[in-house]
Structure formats: structure tokens, C-alpha cells
Amino acid sequence: MGTTGYFGQFPKMGANPMASNFLDAALIGSLVNSGMLNNSVTYQVKPTNSVTLTAQYSNGISSDEDTWSKNNHYYGLSAQYKQADFSVGTVFTVIDYRKAGANNGADSEPTYNLFLTAYKMFGQFRLNLGYQHVWNSRNLSGGPNAFYAKDLGFGTAAKVKESRKGFRSDSFVIGGSYPVGGGKLFGAFKWNMGKWQGESMKTDADRDGDRWVASLKYLYPLSKRTSLYAVGSYARGTGMFKNAESKATRLTTAFGVCHNF
């Protein structure tokens, strides 16, 4: 599902309106991805020129040295319909926990992740839409942007780690891009509504929270292989996200040169 690897479905489906992985500006600034897989078996088929179907299985999210019944398992299915100026796709993944980890017990409820995305070209303007619903996730957002129960004020005691139910969340994405001044301007707005369903050391802890991210990027080509870029994003978290305010509410910027060899 994530942006790493040849079979990553976010980039394959053109789902990121920012077309970049800059912290909060990336899709995993608000969306939950599947992480990196230690091993996987992937089957991909194109029944027509417009349709791509993918199935994926892994016998271990981070390791697979134990027997099948004692490893965490990953299952993924995706489908995309793509034309020259239009695309719609969906990804459904399951993580089945059989091994205790840093943020889950061996009997944690499986994490179910449903992602829907679409883009449409209107002349030179590209419109992106996305939606994600997650059940029993062990984190909100992903990669370096991930928020865990310990980050959001629920404690690090064993009962939090062993909570069978994790986070439930809904995330919405809208964005687009358009040529401006010889380059291209990208913009996106992402909104995550999350809820912790597990145990907490604090009985009065805020179990709900919203976090939204607004971002802009400008990409200017100096030549066919060299471009200048500038990107900025502002994120704000409320409710339980205030327990990790320095990470949940922040302004990030980046400037640089990209050269393709």
C-alpha cells in the first residue's frame, strides 16, 4: 500500500496530489500505510489495458523466523481502473497479529485498512480525491509521522500494549496540481479523525482527536533532468493529538534541487 517498493499502490494509483514524500505533505502525513514487508509474494494481472489487479501476502511484517501460526501475516488486494485522464482505485489490507510487538499483543484484533482514490484531468488541472477507513490500527498516520498510543497520552503499561482493539480512523484527501509560471503548483488538504478504542492508564484521557494538514509545493524545471522545488505544510492536531503537540501541530518547509542521472 505504501510508497516504498515496486508494488506500492499509493504511487501506482497516482493517489498523492503532492507527488512527494515530504513528511506531513505525503499521504502518510495523515493516512495509515502497511509499512515495509520483510518478504512478500505478489501476483499482478491486467485483464484489460485499463484494469490492474494485485494480490499480496507476507508471512511477517518485520520478521518471519517462527512457524506460520506464530508470525504476523499481511494480506492485500487492490484494483485500479485507469484511462488517459481518469483513474479510480481501491486497496484493502489486513494485518493478522500472532506475535507480540512494540505496540501490539499476540491476540490483538486484526488491522483492516480500506483505501479509495480517484483522479481526473480537466484540461491541465488535475483533481485528486481520497478516503481511508481503518479498524484496529496500532498507529495513526505512518512512517516518521506515525502516532502511537504512548504518544497520545494513553501510557506505556502492558495493558495499553496488549489492547486488543487499537485506533479507528477516517481520513479524507483533496488536492490537485496545475501549471503555473513555467512550473507546476501542487496543493492538498488532508483531514484525519481518529479514536483510540483500547485500554488507557488515564481514565480521563481524551480518546478522540482530529488532525488536518494543508500543503503546497512548487516544482520548476531548469532542464529535462534538473528541477528546483519548494514545499511547505502546516498541520494542526486537536483532542488526543494535543498530547503530541510538537509533532501534531507544526510548520515544515523544504527547498532544494533535484537532478536525475
Side-chain angles (χ1 to χ4, degrees):
M1 173 175 279
T3 56
T4 302
Y6 182 79
F7 290 103
Q9 295 301 298
F10 284 171
K12 284 287 186 180
M13 294 184 178
N16 187 355
M18 294 294 292
S20 69
N21 266 343
F22 293 109
L23 284 179
D24 294 327
L27 280 184
I28 57 174
S30 297
L31 274 64
V32 177
N33 69 347
S34 55
M36 296 183 66
L37 302 178
N38 183 52
N39 286 303
S40 69
V41 177
T42 305
Y43 180 75
Q44 191 170 80
V45 62
K46 291 179 68 70
T48 71
N49 288 335
S50 301
V51 177
T52 303
L53 306 175
T54 305
Q56 193 169 52
Y57 166 77
S58 176
N59 191 47
I61 304 303
S62 58
S63 62
D64 60 356
E65 69 275 9
D66 290 325
T67 60
W68 186 90
S69 62
K70 295 182 179 180
N71 278 326
N72 296 338
H73 310 125
Y74 168 88
Y75 308 88
L77 293 172
S78 71
Q80 182 187 19
Y81 175 82
K82 182 179 181 181
Q83 293 287 353
D85 63 347
F86 172 74
S87 172
V88 61
T90 183
V91 188
F92 181 69
T93 66
V94 180
I95 298 177
D96 183 21
Y97 300 100
R98 305 294 179 88
K99 178 189 295 187
N103 301 289
N104 66 276
D107 62 346
S108 294
E109 292 286 335
T111 294
Y112 299 100
N113 190 330
L114 175 65
F115 176 63
L116 305 170
T117 184
Y119 72 76
K120 179 73 171 71
M121 298 296 300
F122 298 92
Q124 292 183 298
F125 174 69
R126 173 172 169 144
L127 174 66
N128 280 78
L129 299 172
Y131 169 73
Q132 181 184 66
H133 183 70
V134 180
W135 303 260
N136 304 320
S137 176
R138 310 318 295 182
N139 58 278
L140 295 175
S141 301
N145 309 290
F147 295 88
Y148 298 94
K150 59 182 174 58
D151 302 322
L152 300 180
F154 303 114
T156 57
K159 68 175 182 178
V160 173
K161 175 183 172 180
E162 300 293 331
S163 294
R164 297 197 67 212
K165 291 181 178 292
F167 291 101
R168 187 183 73 236
S169 72
D170 292 277
S171 296
F172 303 87
V173 180
I174 183 170
S177 59
Y178 188 75
V180 175
K184 183 173 283 190
L185 181 66
F186 302 78
F189 182 83
K190 301 186 292 293
W191 180 26
N192 171 255
M193 299 180 293
K195 179 179 179 64
W196 173 247
Q197 304 172 105
E199 300 293 334
S200 173
M201 289 181 63
K202 300 179 180 179
T203 58
D204 59 345
D206 194 336
R207 291 174 170 266
D208 301 89
D210 291 9
R211 184 173 186 259
W212 57 264
V213 180
S215 54
L216 287 173
K217 182 182 79 170
Y218 186 67
L219 184 68
Y220 185 82
L222 297 177
S223 66
K224 290 184 178 180
R225 296 194 298 169
T226 306
S227 300
L228 300 176
Y229 66 85
V231 60
S233 63
Y234 179 74
R236 182 172 180 81
T238 62
M240 63 183 176
F241 286 103
K242 288 187 176 181
N243 292 296
E245 192 164 14
S246 62
K247 184 176 177 180
T249 299
R250 61 186 179 184
L251 174 68
T252 62
T253 59
F255 309 88
V257 180
C258 180
H259 181 76
N260 296 308
F261 291 91

